Amino acid sequence: LRTTDYVFGRWAALTTIVLFLACSPQIVLLIGIISGVSKPGSYLNEHWVDIPRFLIAGLVIAVFSSTISAFAASCTTRRNMASLLLISICVLSTLVVGGIAESVDQDTGRWIALLSIADIPLNLTELILNAEMSSVADSSRFLANWVKVAWYTIIVGIAGTFVLNRYRKLFT
């Protein structure tokens, strides 16, 4: 068993659990709607495109959440400190960045809004679901879609690389 196998296995297990948790409400809602309409087949025929959208949006949230969680856990050996670090990263970045992004001009604020860690997967979820979500850092809505996708990829890539390198150092 190599280090990369171990890290990927842990990450995949966490991502699977988070994916289940992220998609479960939508699946239950879909089942409830289908069982409540008079013609379930016609409802599915009209709304089938929503199913892959919410599954992909759940995957985006799951990959981001599990990667950032693995990053926080790899920074410390104590679980309670990792939890505190994860909550601090998400909450503090959202509060501080949201306040700053809304107080400066729109051109500057939209770039500052990218630093809100909790809003990164929401930006992509908005794109996938083609819907507007309530967010503290609303200024990021004025960015091009490719910027949001690139920023998500960069953050997940950096966090994943850090986790992989951290575990390589621990096992060597």
Side-chain angles (χ1 to χ4, degrees), residues 22-130:
C23 291
S24 293
Q26 292 296 326
I27 293 170
V28 169
L29 184 64
L30 180 66
I31 291 169
I33 290 173
I34 290 172
S35 63
V37 296
S38 60
K39 297 180 181 177
S42 71
Y43 179 84
L44 276 175
N45 192 31
E46 292 174 20
H47 298 281
W48 69 270
V49 74
D50 295 337
I51 297 170
R53 281 185 178 170
F54 74 72
L55 291 175
I56 292 169
L59 183 63
V60 164
I61 291 170
V63 166
F64 185 83
S65 299
S66 59
T67 305
I68 295 299
S69 298
F71 168 76
S74 70
C75 289
T76 181
T77 57
R78 299 185 61 169
R79 289 183 183 159
N80 57 353
M81 295 304 286
S83 300
L84 180 64
L85 178 64
L86 180 62
I87 292 168
S88 298
I89 288 171
C90 291
V91 173
L92 291 177
S93 72
T94 301
L95 293 175
V96 172
V97 168
I100 294 171
E102 297 299 322
S103 65
V104 297
D105 65 281
Q106 183 178 349
D107 287 337
T108 307
R110 64 183 179 167
W111 294 103
I112 293 172
L114 286 176
L115 299 175
S116 174
I117 300 298
D119 288 334
I120 294 172
L122 294 180
N123 287 333
L124 252 65
T125 303
E126 283 181 346
L127 295 176
I128 295 166
L129 298 177
N130 198 22

